[in-house]
Amino acid sequence: MEAMKKGNQRFRTGVRQNRNCLNEQRASAAGQYPAAVILSCIDSRAPAEVIMDLGIGDIFNCRIAGNVQNPDILGSMEFACKLAGTKVVLVMGHTACGAVKGAIDNAELGNLTGLLAKIRPAVEATTYTGQRSVENYAFVDAVARKSVEITLTDIRKNSAVLAGLEANGTIKITGAMYNLETGIVDFFG
Ligand SMILES: [Zn+2]
């Protein structure tokens, strides 16, 4: 958690760590010990390694539009935490998320329809006084945050492996929101 928080601090203040990717590649070739598994959106402006100034071998990185969970993602997280020794599961949403906007608008397109359906419960669960539309950035971001919270609940509910590791104190499961405008990753815990 500390490495991610300090890395984001470096990123947003423009003092990124001077790293040699070739050295990192060589040093990690024989084995990997990533500290965290991150579930974040495919959004091109929110690459976890870049915005938290991390290098090769530092994190497992699951990316899917709207950072929703599914059995394959849970399987990946279980591999990370149970078999590779990863200690943190971080679900990271972001502001102005296109997938969240699509869910609010009930957008329909091929396989995307089913993906957006996974975000719909967050739209309904978001308590918000004011305009509940994609034109209201504050509402869009409130839904994105709620969606991260629901995803955290779903991870615990749908993965006995991860819930067990959390219960016995082996791993931490938590969320964060990345702000595209400020570059700040706001960690829930
Ligand atoms: Zn997004």
Side-chain angles (χ1 to χ4, degrees), residues 69-115:
Q69 56 87 37
N70 66 34
D72 296 329
I73 297 230
L74 292 178
S76 304
M77 289 175 167
E78 289 167 0
F79 163 76
C81 296
K82 191 74 183 182
L83 303 178
T86 295
K87 300 297 181 204
V88 176
V89 173
L90 180 76
V91 179
M92 182 172 71
H94 68 97
T95 59
C97 181
V100 169
K101 290 178 185 170
I104 292 170
D105 267 351
N106 286 311
E108 292 188 5
L109 170 73
N111 290 284
L112 183 58
T113 307
L115 192 157

Side-chain angles (χ1 to χ4, degrees), residues 39-43 63-69 91-94 97-101 103 112 115-116 118-119 122 143-144 147-148 151:
L39 172 58
S40 60
C41 185
I42 61 166
D43 195 295
R63 294 185 72 173
I64 182 167
N67 38 271
V68 295
Q69 56 87 37
V91 179
M92 182 172 71
H94 68 97
C97 181
V100 169
K101 290 178 185 170
L112 183 58
L115 192 157
L116 297 183
K118 296 190 166 197
I119 304 174
V143 173
S147 183
V148 170
T151 300

Side-chain angles (χ1 to χ4, degrees), residues 36 40 58 75 79 110 152 156 175:
S40 60
D58 285 344
F79 163 76
L152 291 169
R156 295 181 176 108

